[in-house]
Amino acid sequence: MPAIAEPYRIKMVEPITMTTREQREAAIRAAGYNTFLLRSDDVYIDLLTDSGTSAMSDRQWSAMMMGDEAYAGARSFDHLVESVRENYGFPLVCPTHQGRGAEHLISKILITPGQHVPGNMYFTTTRVHQELAGGTFHDVIIDEAHDPASRHPFKGNVDLDKFQALIDEVGADQIAYINVAVTVNMAGGQPVSMANIRAVREICDRYGIILWSDATRLAENAWFIQEREDGYAGRPVAEIVREMLSHFDGITMSGKKDCLVNIGGFLAMRDEAILTKARELVVVYEGMPTYGGLAGRDLDAMAVGLREALDDDYLTHRIGQVRYLGERLQAAGVPIVEPIGGHAVFIDAAAFLDHLSQDELPAQTLAAEIFLDSGVRSMERGIVSAGRDADGNNRYPKLELVRLTIPRRVYTNSHMDVVADSVIRVFQRRREIQGLTFVYESPTLRFFTSRFEPL
Ligand SMILES: Cc1ncc(COP(=O)(O)O)c(/C=N/[C@@H](Cc2ccccc2)C(=O)O)c1O
């Protein structure tokens, strides 16, 4: 991909400082070797997440100044609805404080306890809300998604045979809905093709199954369709997004990613009955249906940001930056998930630290080692994130990954070079690295707050 300059110029900066090795050793010990528990001031380049860490534009900031903080019926809500209608094609919107707020509501609305919810690989908060609502998640993603080395161009695709087999096994009436994430975070930010979305739609229509999407990174998914799928080259991302979403009954959206805001989310849909139920629940858990746990200014920032995130030049640079980092690591022989995803480079920690067993927590270990080397913060996406099953046993995911997650419009490729140099240094001394073990294991979504110590 030809290098392109940032399609924006920087108008404000936030100073960052490099720490010493001694400072980092003290910091990671205090954080229990869990990068989620590090203090921001101890982090040099923060690649923990792309969630809520984007830089907002001058247009978003000025929209915030005009935010309407009326408790009910604020203009800011109208602006969000207009933007969702215009850019996503959904007529109905229920704002929530962030993505998992929307996941909570839709799980309660659509799932009857005992029902099943197929999806293209699990995501932690999505699955936990489905389970809390009494549903059982079933992974129906294609097998290639579980192979870090597979170069399948659309590893996020639903395996139609797996989906059909589940329908045959439990009956269509026992399937609450199918949830198709675009892109698939835990597979490495991997896209779903338009052809696959259409094929899933056909099955859902045949059996009367609701087709929902976790649209959190939909713009990046559309950009990969433009780049890789026959018939879409040269089509504007905004047009591809409208076509993608036209096949879904509704979406949960974490605005903290592809709406370029620091907080925000929403449900968007076509069915008034679902909106009515969402409004009944949102007043209990989030706030009035016209603010959903957000300030008016947040709604306005999201209305502007979701439109900006569909810009072709912005996405070409954004995805190009992720690819730049990934290609530097590939050139040094560092094992990463291929193809390189849309929002992050995922290091194959199992291959990187192939002398460690999964019970020695390779990804947790590698994330701590990278921080110790350079102050770069990453996120464990392996056995710790996978948690325990209903019987209390550790789940053993095929993918044991460390995610280097690139915030939107924040860092330059000079920062990417610092990250690449650090990971390569750790790779060169990987045989010296020993594993970690739990000293405290939190009961739910344990990766957020558990603590560890070196073996
Ligand atoms: C595909 C997808 N669907 C829904 C959500 C929830 O949205 P929200 O509630 O955060 O707004 C997320 C959030 N992803 C963040 C934050 C995170 C969340 C759980 C564990 C680790 C990190 C991340 O991947 O960094 C997501 O990626």
Side-chain angles (χ1 to χ4, degrees), residues 65 73 92 117 126 209 211 218 229 239 353 382 396 417 422 440:
M65 293 301 116
L92 309 176
V117 189
T126 317
I209 294 172
L211 173 53
L218 79 171
E229 191 160 0
E239 204 178 282
L353 298 173
Y396 287 87
D417 285 331
S422 173
Y440 164 68

Side-chain angles (χ1 to χ4, degrees), residues 147-158:
D147 173 2
S150 164
R151 298 183 62 82
H152 190 296
F154 289 103
K155 288 170 96 168
N157 279 359
V158 170

Side-chain angles (χ1 to χ4, degrees), residues 57-348:
S57 68
D58 51 1
R59 287 147 183 78
Q60 286 177 286
W61 282 108
S62 49
M64 291 187 87
M65 293 301 116
M66 300 289 285
D68 177 359
E69 302 310 336
Y71 188 85
R75 288 185 306 278
S76 303
F77 172 70
D78 299 338
H79 298 158
L80 177 63
V81 174
E82 286 155 23
S83 185
V84 171
R85 283 177 179 164
E86 176 198 331
N87 293 287
Y88 290 3
F90 289 108
L92 309 176
V93 180
C94 178
T96 60
H97 75 286
Q98 60 182 64
R100 69 199 78 172
E103 293 174 331
H104 175 212
L105 300 188
I106 201 62
S107 299
K108 281 183 176 295
I109 293 166
L110 294 184
I111 298 172
T112 301
Q115 284 190 311
H116 303 270
V117 189
N120 53 341
M121 198 176 284
Y122 88 99
F123 185 71
T124 51
T125 57
T126 317
R127 183 172 63 189
V128 82
H129 282 294
Q130 290 166 350
E131 291 170 349
L132 288 172
T136 302
F137 169 78
H138 295 263
D139 185 1
V140 293
I141 203 166
I142 59 172
D143 291 343
E144 290 85 341
H146 293 282
D147 173 2
S150 164
R151 298 183 62 82
H152 190 296
F154 289 103
K155 288 170 96 168
N157 279 359
V158 170
D159 182 318
L160 304 177
D161 294 335
K162 291 181 184 176
F163 183 27
Q164 183 64 59
L166 182 66
I167 295 169
D168 297 342
E169 180 192 346
V170 304
D173 63 326
Q174 288 309 303
I175 293 180
Y177 61 102
I178 180 170
N179 186 56
V180 177
V182 290
T183 58
V184 180
N185 190 353
M186 299 300 278
Q190 303 295 321
V192 181
S193 69
M194 191 74 79
N196 188 249
I197 293 171
R198 279 198 294 266
V200 174
R201 178 76 262 170
E202 281 167 22
I203 294 176
C204 289
D205 288 345
R206 198 179 314 147
Y207 292 95
I209 294 172
I210 292 170
L211 173 53
W212 210 261
S213 178
D214 176 345
T216 294
R217 296 181 182 85
L218 79 171
E220 293 162 3
N221 198 97
W223 192 91
F224 284 120
I225 289 174
Q226 183 192 79
E227 182 192 49
R228 297 175 185 169
E229 191 160 0
D230 290 345
Y232 289 93
R235 298 266 300 275
V237 161
E239 204 178 282
I240 297 171
V241 161
R242 287 289 303 259
E243 183 182 338
M244 280 167 55
L245 297 183
S246 72
H247 298 295
F248 292 103
D249 297 305
I251 64 172
T252 54
M253 186 66 188
S254 170
K256 298 173 76 170
K257 288 72 151 179
D258 270 357
C259 295
L260 295 167
V261 290
N262 303 127
I263 191 71
F266 54 85
L267 284 174
M269 68 218 88
R270 306 183 203 289
D271 184 345
E272 282 282 358
I274 295 179
L275 179 67
T276 300
K277 290 179 183 161
R279 283 177 166 165
E280 288 162 7
L281 288 172
V282 77
V283 295
V284 176
Y285 295 106
E286 304 277 330
M288 273 293 288
T290 53
Y291 77 81
L294 295 168
R297 56 183 175 272
D298 295 320
L299 298 170
D300 271 308
M302 197 151 57
V304 174
L306 74 83
R307 186 180 303 113
E308 289 183 359
L310 305 181
D311 178 81
D312 288 89
D313 289 343
Y314 149 73
L315 282 162
T316 299
H317 173 268
R318 189 273 188 294
I319 295 176
Q321 184 171 60
V322 179
R323 201 167 280 183
Y324 173 80
L325 174 59
E327 287 170 351
R328 277 222 49 205
L329 297 183
Q330 281 174 316
V334 175
I336 63 172
V337 172
E338 300 188 46
I340 300 166
H343 67 296
V345 175
F346 289 71
I347 303 172
D348 181 352

